[in-house]
Structures are given as C-alpha cells and as structure tokens.
Amino acid sequence: LNHMDHMDHMVIITNNPNTTENGLKIIYVNDAFARVSGYSKTEAIGLKPSMLQGPETSPSTLSQIRDSIKNERSLRCEMLNYTKTSLPYWIDLNLAPHFTDDDTCDYFIGHSVEVTRDRNERAQTLREIKNFEFVLSASGLAFWDLDFETDLMWRSPQNDTIFGYKNRQQIWSYEKYLSHILEEDKSMVHRTFSRARENATSFEMEYRCKWPDKSIHWLWCKGGFITDEFDRVVRAYGIESCIDEQKDAQLKLLDLAY
C-alpha cells in the first residue's frame, strides 16, 4: 500500500460489510485523502465512511453506493463530502470491489479526485449560458455553433422557434438547416456560406425558410468561422432572427412610393 501514499488522487479502502457483522469500516486511507478531508490516517481507520457525509450529500447517491456494495459491483459517481471541519467538497468517485482468487470480495477500493472547482466552473458556465440565452431571446436573436467534425450544431432555444418549431428538436445539422430554406434561396445560402468558409471570413445574408406548417418566413443571418492552430476551419458560428416585420414594412414603403 505504500505506493498509494504518493498518489495525487485520494484512496480509501474499506472492508466488505457483506462478510462481517461489524458493518462498513475504513481500513486504509492515503496521504491525499488525509490532506483533503482533514482526517489524519490514524483518525480515519476504523471509522465509517459516513463521517464524510453532510446535510447536502445526495441521498440518491448514497443509495447507489449502498446498492453497489451490497451487490459487489463497481460504481462511478460525483458526490458531496465534508471535511473534518465541515467544509463541503465534491469528488469524482470510482468505487470497485476487490476479489481474491476464489471470487470472494475481501474489500472495496475507492479512488477519487476533488472536482469542487470543476463543479463551480460548470455551474458558472451554465449561469452565463442561461443569461446569454435570455438576452438573445429578449432581443429576438438565436445563436448557433456548428462543429464541422461531427456536423452537429449547438443552438440556443430561440433557433428552433425561428424555424417554426414549438418544441426543441433533438438533432440539428447543416443539412437539416438547409432543408428548411426555400428552394429559390438555397443555392445562394450554400454558396455564401461555402465561400466564407473557404476564406474563413464573416458572412451575412437574408433568405426565406419554410416552416413545418408550410408558411414562408424571412430570416437574417450573420456569422463567422473559427480555425485551429493549423489554420483549418473547424467551427462556424452565427446569429439569426426572423425579419418578417422588416420585410413587410419595406413592402409598405414601396407601395407608398409608387
């Protein structure tokens, strides 16, 4: 076990409570565990892992762990633990039973890394995305991002609305995007997009699309491209909005002029 003391990630080993009346007990922890949890190695040995649980530890996650131990199965999950001084921290846990040659599970080994910062950054990113989507929706704009390697397009919820869908579509690609464009405008759109992609320049265009209910609507789109370190175009991005009202206003002005 000495080599585990020098690992960067935390290691905790328990007995198998299925084979003893003493319940689940810690029989080994490494230095990384002691450093993060605040429990010394001497303190931790003999205690129950539940010492790490707190008021906001997920009951569902604990149920999964208990089920895995009961059935001697591996499990990976993220869970909220608490230090000796009651400070919360998140871990990415890999729990696995250890079997001897006669297929008997002697103990469980838990490898984990602290992911508190990752969790906080993901939460912050999610908040920023929600704020971004709110601003776009309030302004009538949709945003999209196309990955050329996968041909999958991430887009804000407003995008599907602009194309006439009441519910969000599961998959959106460049071909699906083109399929909504009126035949008379499709060649122009594809040509404009392709030329801009070849030169990694920005583009702007207006075109008509057909909604699922067969109605025709005008869209405006402006975007650009992202290149990698080898100057290869790897992504496209853009914003778009429905400009039916602007087009109607232009027609009315023309009628007045003539």
Side-chain angles (χ1 to χ4, degrees):
L1 297 176
N2 289 337
H3 68 284
M4 293 187 182
D5 284 333
H6 305 293
M7 290 181 173
D8 292 330
H9 59 262
M10 294 171 277
V11 179
I12 179 172
I13 301 177
T14 71
N15 64 338
N16 183 354
N18 300 319
T19 60
T20 178
E21 297 180 354
N22 296 325
L24 187 67
K25 298 291 181 64
I26 297 172
I27 60 177
Y28 170 83
V29 296
N30 70 345
D31 290 341
F33 173 89
R35 184 174 61 254
V36 173
S37 71
Y39 291 93
S40 70
K41 297 171 70 173
T42 303
E43 285 179 303
I45 293 174
L47 296 179
K48 295 182 178 181
S50 58
M51 68 182 186
L52 301 169
Q53 299 162 18
E56 296 188 25
T57 302
S58 167
S60 175
T61 301
L62 294 177
S63 178
Q64 292 178 46
I65 293 174
R66 285 193 291 268
D67 185 65
S68 296
I69 292 175
K70 179 180 179 180
N71 295 286
E72 299 177 351
R73 295 197 307 257
S74 297
L75 172 71
R76 180 176 182 180
C77 64
E78 286 190 359
M79 69 178 300
L80 182 64
N81 279 349
Y82 288 81
T83 67
K84 184 179 179 180
T85 56
S86 300
L87 294 176
Y89 65 98
W90 283 92
I91 63 168
D92 181 358
L93 171 66
N94 280 279
L95 180 66
H98 182 273
F99 294 93
T100 56
D101 292 338
D102 59 357
D103 293 329
T104 300
C105 174
D106 291 329
Y107 47 85
F108 290 86
I109 303 177
H111 294 264
S112 61
V113 293
E114 186 181 0
V115 294
T116 306
R117 178 178 295 181
D118 292 342
R119 293 271 307 197
N120 290 340
E121 288 178 351
R122 292 203 301 267
Q124 177 62 25
T125 299
L126 182 60
R127 286 193 293 271
E128 291 174 353
I129 290 174
K130 291 296 183 183
N131 290 338
F132 179 56
E133 289 179 349
F134 173 78
V135 172
L136 288 174
S137 178
S139 59
L141 293 172
F143 177 80
W144 53 266
D145 182 296
L146 173 63
D147 185 331
F148 286 118
E149 182 176 350
T150 62
D151 192 34
L152 293 178
M153 183 183 290
W154 178 91
R155 71 271 183 211
S156 63
Q158 185 71 8
N159 178 88
D160 294 15
T161 303
I162 285 175
F163 282 91
Y165 291 99
K166 295 181 179 179
N167 300 314
R168 185 173 175 83
Q169 303 298 291
Q170 289 188 344
I171 297 177
W172 201 273
S173 64
Y174 181 64
E175 288 302 321
K176 183 165 185 175
Y177 163 73
L178 285 178
S179 70
H180 292 81
I181 298 173
L182 213 61
E183 286 298 326
E184 294 87 335
D185 296 346
K186 188 176 298 185
S187 296
M188 178 276 295
V189 169
H190 181 62
R191 182 171 61 254
T192 301
F193 184 84
S194 299
R195 286 179 178 175
R197 179 182 177 181
E198 289 175 5
N199 300 294
T201 57
S202 61
F203 60 90
E204 184 173 0
M205 52 191 171
E206 295 179 358
Y207 55 88
R208 292 163 294 175
C209 75
K210 181 181 291 188
W211 283 14
D213 64 5
K214 308 302 180 183
S215 60
I216 307 300
H217 299 269
W218 277 96
L219 299 185
W220 166 85
C221 179
K222 184 173 184 178
F225 297 89
I226 296 174
T227 58
D228 61 14
E229 64 271 26
F230 303 107
D231 291 329
R232 296 177 301 196
V233 175
V234 293
R235 307 184 77 87
Y237 62 90
I239 55 175
E240 57 194 352
S241 66
C242 181
I243 57 171
D244 284 340
E245 291 184 2
Q246 294 93 315
K247 288 295 182 180
D248 288 342
Q250 289 174 5
L251 289 175
K252 289 177 181 179
L253 284 175
L254 287 174
D255 290 340
L256 292 174
Y258 295 98

